[in-house]
Amino acid sequence: MNEKLNFSFNNELISVTLGKEIIENHSIAIAEQIRNSRDANATNVTVDFTEFQSDKIVIADNGLGMSINDIKEKWFMLGSNHKREIKESLGGKGIGRFSIFKLGDCIEIETVKEGTKSIFVIEKSNINDISVKQELSNSNDGTRITITKIDPDISFYEIEKDLYNLILNKDDFEISLKFPSYYESISIINNEEIKKVIPYSATIKIMNNINDVNDIDYHFLCEINKEMIYENRIISEKFQKELNTILKKYENKKKIGEIYLSLNNFNFDKKLLKLFDNNLDVTYIKDHFLNVYQGINVYRNNFKIFGHGSEDWLKLAENRLKKPGENIDNKLTYGTIVLKENNDKLIEKSNREGFISDNHSKYFRELILIIVKQFGLDRKTSISKQKEIIENQRQKNNRIATTTDGVKEIEVPIKKEVENESLELFRTENNESSNKDIDNKDDKSINILKSKNLRKNNKEIINLISDEIINNITDKSKLKIIDGSGSLVENYIIQISKPGNYQYKYVLEDMEEHLEITIQSAKVKHKNPKSKFFQESTWFHGDIDLSEIHDIVYQLKDLDYEKKYLLYLISFRTILDDILKNYIANNDLKLDGDLKNNVDVVVEHILKNIKQNPNNNIVKIHRKFNGYNQLKDNLKSLQTKFSKEHYSSVLNKITHNPSPINSSFAAELSNEIILPLYVLIFEMRKEDIIR
């Protein structure tokens, strides 16, 4: 006997599998509904959280609405392909509607089309036998979704941050996010203002099915204060070779449509920042722009594709660790990639977080990465040009013009504060120029000393030539320094233990100048050190309390890293070990002799304790660290750095086989591993989340 069988499904299976489990991000769930609104020809959509505490979220649009046939054939037909037949459609698989269950367990849909209103309710536990109520209506066409039994782990901060740049061009479509009065909305610098302070930028157009470098229109600019410092339109031979290799490798997978790129990159090096008319407020830019626009985002049909941007899908951080000077930092980059043709070659994952991994997406990634590397090379060249300008300006400011009547003072311009009500990017620092009474002999002479007077601490080693002598003395061997007793100072190095005033005479051919050094008793400084080390992490916002590790940090900040890298690395390991071991001991966890295992133990325990929930103390932690999802991703990245795959190539040299490092790499290790971990644990203790 033959018996015919059919698959049957549990009611919750579809809502859970197609909703909560496949969609991991609340922002994506809302973005799916916004996509659906756009596909229904809506010009605006409102996402209303004002009744969140009363267990209600409302998403409403002014689209075409749905008739009873639309509801049957489109809404209740799983895997519907009607959107695939529409070129401009943002949907594809017809399952995005179930992402609503990521937000809550019960949804009510009220939709109006051509004077008829349809209303139906779907519970997560029962998606069958749905009753649709119909009635005549004078309301305008559109759809209203009311979500109840909502997920308490929803983060307003994450949703606002992720949806702020959901649409590239907002001229013909408006998204309105309404939050409860107790939530403080994000303040973001607008793009036009931020363009004024981005030093490195590039525009790129890549033709469909490119054959060689001529099919790429590349234009890089380094521009500061509207003055061009460096420009390039040519892709280097090195990257041309890499491009040809990729084109040959993916010969049959290249038709992914025209691609337009816009790349922008900041540089917050304090020396280079001096080139701007005013000092940039770096923290403000990070908190109110990069926090939202960080990374390289991808757009298709004007909508952002998740899984890019801050997620560092190009692995720029790894490249930068290998060659810091030649690769850009994803955290300091603002870029957009626009896919001009909506073909089916680059397929989005069902969870909407990136593209399905196949040869087309691999080709796309490798192609973009070559362009980004070229951008990094041009950035490196630009920095060299910037440093030349700084050095020339320094020498210019150090010269004192002379006349036959005597010394003519050079005025150092005082920086003026930029008044801009909408943008607080600048901080004014008044540079006061002091008069230097230096006795020059004639017009052709140059001053030897930068300063007439110095103040130093007792027992401090003083190099009389390295800091005080200008660089344009070509033959320093002719320079003689004589102390107050008439003795010649050998090696130009002194150390004075007794406080008081000391005079030194500088003689260079027919020139003679005098320096007075005041020696004072050294004072103990208790203020936290101000340095780019342990102070510029992009993980979190706000002040840093370094009291527990103050002493060693204060010493670390003054190290010459290129010469004393071993001392730094030992100190780095010591601090990290101390943080981990104290955490493990205080929380009764199992201590391991392996550093990377201890990292795993601590990270997993932290993740367990900061899981999203309405607890106000934990919400404070989430806000300080850019939201729960960002914090979770950052912690997971620490585990990746210490994993077997990455540990030996990236971090082994700082623990077992140290090798020379530069200051950029030292700062990155400090700010992306030690500092975030320390601050996070400190904040968790302060909020009584851990012991």
Side-chain angles (χ1 to χ4, degrees):
M1 180 181 70
N2 295 330
E3 185 173 353
K4 186 178 292 186
L5 300 175
N6 292 312
F7 285 104
S8 60
F9 299 92
N10 180 284
N11 281 336
E12 289 193 29
L13 178 63
I14 294 177
S15 62
V16 172
T17 304
L18 300 184
K20 284 193 172 183
E21 291 187 358
I22 198 170
I23 302 293
E24 297 182 4
N25 191 310
H26 295 104
S27 305
I28 295 177
I30 296 174
E32 281 297 293
Q33 310 319 309
I34 295 174
R35 286 171 180 256
N36 290 339
S37 296
R38 180 65 180 272
D39 288 341
N41 291 340
T43 57
N44 66 72
V45 58
T46 299
V47 184
D48 191 344
F49 293 98
T50 56
E51 297 183 79
F52 185 82
Q53 289 185 312
S54 299
D55 191 37
K56 182 191 291 187
I57 301 171
V58 177
I59 304 174
D61 67 47
N62 66 342
L64 297 176
M66 291 184 288
S67 66
I68 187 65
N69 286 333
D70 292 332
I71 294 171
K72 289 179 181 178
E73 297 176 5
K74 299 175 183 178
W75 223 97
F76 282 92
M77 177 65 71
L78 297 182
S80 169
N81 64 356
H82 74 280
K83 289 187 179 182
R84 299 184 192 180
E85 300 169 359
I86 305 173
K87 185 176 181 180
E88 291 79 16
S89 171
L90 297 166
K93 298 179 175 62
I95 62 173
R97 69 202 71 134
F98 287 101
S99 65
I100 305 177
F101 286 113
K102 177 67 179 177
L103 304 172
D105 291 346
C106 180
I107 58 176
E108 178 186 72
I109 297 179
E110 182 180 305
T111 182
V112 178
K113 185 171 185 176
E114 298 176 350
T116 300
K117 179 187 292 186
S118 301
I119 305 172
F120 57 97
V121 177
I122 305 176
E123 291 271 1
K124 183 189 75 171
S125 58
N126 181 22
I127 63 170
N128 291 323
D129 301 323
I130 306 301
S131 175
V132 180
K133 176 184 176 182
Q134 287 193 297
E135 59 186 43
L136 297 177
S137 174
N138 294 324
S139 301
N140 294 328
D141 288 357
T143 299
R144 176 187 176 93
I145 302 173
T146 301
I147 305 151
T148 55
K149 300 181 181 179
I150 56 181
D151 184 349
D153 289 341
I154 289 175
S155 167
F156 298 151
Y157 177 80
E158 286 301 309
I159 288 171
E160 186 179 18
K161 183 169 69 73
D162 289 346
L163 298 184
Y164 197 93
N165 62 345
L166 177 65
I167 298 178
L168 187 61
N169 183 357
K170 302 178 182 179
D171 292 342
D172 61 347
F173 189 77
E174 180 183 358
I175 300 173
S176 176
L177 300 177
K178 296 182 178 181
F179 296 103
S181 58
Y182 60 82
Y183 172 72
E184 184 179 351
S185 191
I186 303 173
S187 172
I188 303 298
I189 305 167
N190 68 63
N191 289 344
E192 291 305 313
E193 292 295 339
I194 206 69
K195 286 178 182 178
K196 299 175 183 178
V197 293
I198 295 179
Y200 320 112
S201 62
T203 55
I204 304 100
K205 177 182 177 181
I206 303 175
M207 302 299 292
N208 183 26
N209 193 29
I210 66 174
N211 295 307
D212 55 42
V213 71
N214 295 320
D215 292 327
I216 299 177
D217 183 5
Y218 175 86
H219 186 197
F220 176 93
L221 274 177
C222 173
E223 200 171 33
I224 296 176
N225 301 329
K226 296 183 179 180
E227 180 181 350
M228 188 176 69
I229 307 299
Y230 174 73
E231 182 179 21
N232 180 43
R233 295 179 179 271
I234 300 172
I235 294 177
S236 68
E237 291 185 9
K238 173 185 176 182
F239 295 127
Q240 284 189 40
K241 291 179 181 179
E242 290 189 21
L243 175 64
N244 291 332
T245 300
I246 290 174
L247 295 178
K248 185 176 180 180
K249 177 181 177 182
Y250 297 102
E251 180 63 37
N252 299 321
K253 307 295 181 183
K254 296 186 298 181
K255 292 184 179 181
I256 55 176
E258 287 185 354
I259 302 172
Y260 289 79
L261 285 82
S262 172
L263 295 176
N264 305 274
N265 182 263
F266 289 95
N267 191 330
F268 294 144
D269 183 281
K270 292 180 180 179
K271 292 181 180 178
L272 299 182
L273 288 177
K274 292 179 181 178
L275 282 176
F276 284 94
D277 287 335
N278 292 269
N279 291 330
L280 304 186
D281 188 337
V282 173
T283 301
Y284 193 85
I285 293 175
K286 288 180 179 179
D287 291 350
H288 298 275
F289 185 79
L290 286 173
N291 187 36
V292 168
Y293 285 101
Q294 169 190 307
I296 302 175
N297 287 281
V298 181
Y299 291 83
R300 178 155 59 187
N301 287 338
N302 209 32
F303 266 67
K304 177 176 69 174
I305 295 173
F306 282 79
H308 301 85
S310 61
E311 292 83 356
D312 193 11
W313 58 287
L314 291 170
K315 307 298 182 186
L316 300 183
E318 292 183 14
N319 292 331
R320 196 166 185 276
L321 282 173
K322 298 174 184 176
K323 292 184 177 180
E326 296 183 10
N327 293 287
I328 63 175
D329 188 340
N330 192 67
K331 294 180 179 179
L332 299 180
T333 300
Y334 156 49
T336 58
I337 297 176
V338 180
L339 306 177
K340 298 300 289 186
E341 294 184 12
N342 184 27
N343 55 43
D344 57 357
K345 302 300 182 184
L346 293 173
I347 305 171
E348 287 184 63
K349 296 177 181 178
S350 296
N351 64 1
R352 298 298 195 187
E353 296 195 64
F355 297 114
I356 291 175
S357 180
D358 59 16
N359 283 334
H360 287 100
S361 63
K362 291 176 182 177
Y363 164 67
F364 170 70
R365 181 184 178 280
E366 292 182 31
L367 178 62
I368 299 299
L369 190 56
I370 285 181
I371 301 299
V372 173
K373 286 181 177 180
Q374 176 64 49
F375 182 93
L377 184 62
D378 287 323
R379 179 183 183 274
K380 181 180 180 181
T381 304
S382 298
I383 291 173
S384 298
K385 300 287 185 182
Q386 289 174 264
K387 289 181 177 179
E388 288 178 13
I389 294 173
I390 292 172
E391 178 61 22
N392 291 337
Q393 187 65 40
R394 187 190 69 79
Q395 293 185 14
K396 180 180 178 181
N397 289 341
N398 285 339
R399 295 191 189 98
I400 296 180
T402 59
T403 67
T404 55
D405 296 329
V407 179
K408 180 180 178 181
E409 299 174 6
I410 289 182
E411 296 181 356
V412 179
I414 296 176
K415 296 178 179 179
K416 297 180 180 179
E417 184 173 2
V418 172
E419 295 181 359
N420 190 323
E421 295 180 355
S422 64
L423 181 66
E424 296 181 4
L425 290 180
F426 303 101
R427 290 288 183 267
T428 303
E429 290 183 6
N430 293 337
N431 295 331
E432 299 180 357
S433 58
S434 57
N435 298 334
K436 310 301 179 185
D437 185 17
I438 299 175
D439 188 15
N440 287 316
K441 294 294 181 183
D442 52 47
D443 290 333
K444 297 180 180 180
S445 65
I446 59 173
N447 61 300
I448 305 174
L449 298 174
K450 291 181 182 178
S451 174
K452 178 182 177 181
N453 302 309
L454 288 179
R455 297 183 72 87
K456 297 289 184 179
N457 293 328
N458 62 318
K459 297 184 180 179
E460 183 176 352
I461 296 176
I462 305 170
N463 190 328
L464 294 175
I465 191 170
S466 61
D467 294 328
E468 301 301 325
I469 309 304
I470 62 174
N471 292 330
N472 54 358
I473 296 179
T474 55
D475 189 358
K476 292 185 177 63
S477 63
K478 295 182 179 180
L479 175 66
K480 301 188 183 305
I481 303 178
I482 303 169
D483 64 18
S485 65
S487 301
L488 190 67
V489 180
E490 296 182 358
N491 300 324
Y492 309 122
I493 294 175
I494 61 172
Q495 185 177 23
I496 306 173
S497 59
K498 186 178 180 180
N501 295 327
Y502 298 84
Q503 286 76 34
Y504 293 86
K505 182 167 65 175
Y506 286 65
V507 179
L508 179 63
E509 297 181 341
D510 61 340
M511 295 177 61
E512 180 177 313
E513 293 179 11
H514 297 269
L515 172 70
E516 180 172 297
I517 301 178
T518 300
I519 301 297
Q520 57 193 3
S521 298
K523 297 179 180 179
V524 178
K525 296 182 179 180
H526 297 288
K527 188 177 180 181
N528 283 344
K530 291 186 178 298
S531 166
K532 68 179 180 178
F533 297 98
F534 296 92
Q535 205 172 51
E536 291 187 353
S537 176
T538 56
W539 269 46
F540 50 84
H541 311 282
D543 297 329
I544 304 167
D545 185 342
L546 296 175
S547 56
E548 293 185 17
I549 54 174
H550 170 271
D551 291 339
I552 193 165
V553 170
Y554 190 80
Q555 296 175 50
L556 280 176
K557 83 178 186 68
D558 290 324
L559 288 180
D560 185 344
Y561 291 84
E562 280 78 3
K563 296 179 180 178
K564 301 178 182 177
Y565 63 90
L566 183 58
L567 180 57
Y568 169 78
L569 297 175
I570 294 172
S571 302
F572 176 92
R573 174 64 183 256
T574 301
I575 298 175
L576 185 59
D577 265 337
D578 188 59
I579 291 173
L580 296 172
K581 290 176 180 177
N582 282 337
Y583 185 98
I584 290 172
N586 291 337
N587 293 278
D588 299 326
L589 302 174
K590 184 179 180 182
L591 182 65
D592 197 294
D594 195 321
L595 179 64
K596 59 178 178 289
N597 291 341
N598 287 336
V599 170
D600 274 333
V601 169
V602 171
V603 168
E604 290 302 325
H605 191 265
I606 291 175
L607 287 172
K608 180 181 178 181
N609 281 277
I610 58 146
K611 186 176 180 181
Q612 280 194 350
N613 63 56
N615 184 300
N616 288 333
N617 291 350
I618 294 181
V619 170
K620 289 180 183 178
I621 301 293
H622 295 165
R623 290 293 301 271
K624 187 176 184 67
F625 285 82
N626 304 323
Y628 171 71
N629 288 332
Q630 187 66 45
L631 176 55
K632 181 179 68 173
D633 291 344
N634 288 337
L635 286 168
K636 288 295 185 182
S637 73
L638 287 185
Q639 290 180 306
T640 301
K641 285 185 174 75
F642 284 88
S643 66
K644 292 181 180 178
E645 293 78 11
H646 296 85
Y647 184 74
S648 59
S649 61
V650 179
L651 294 176
N652 189 51
K653 63 182 179 182
I654 69 168
T655 56
H656 301 298
N657 185 28
S659 57
I661 60 173
N662 58 36
S663 57
S664 175
F665 185 50
E668 187 160 352
L669 294 175
S670 303
N671 289 315
E672 301 310 318
I673 297 180
I674 286 185
L675 182 59
L677 204 55
Y678 171 82
V679 174
L680 176 57
I681 294 171
F682 182 89
E683 293 293 328
M684 291 174 71
R685 285 176 182 162
K686 187 172 71 174
E687 300 297 340
D688 293 325
I689 298 171
I690 61 170
R691 288 179 287 180

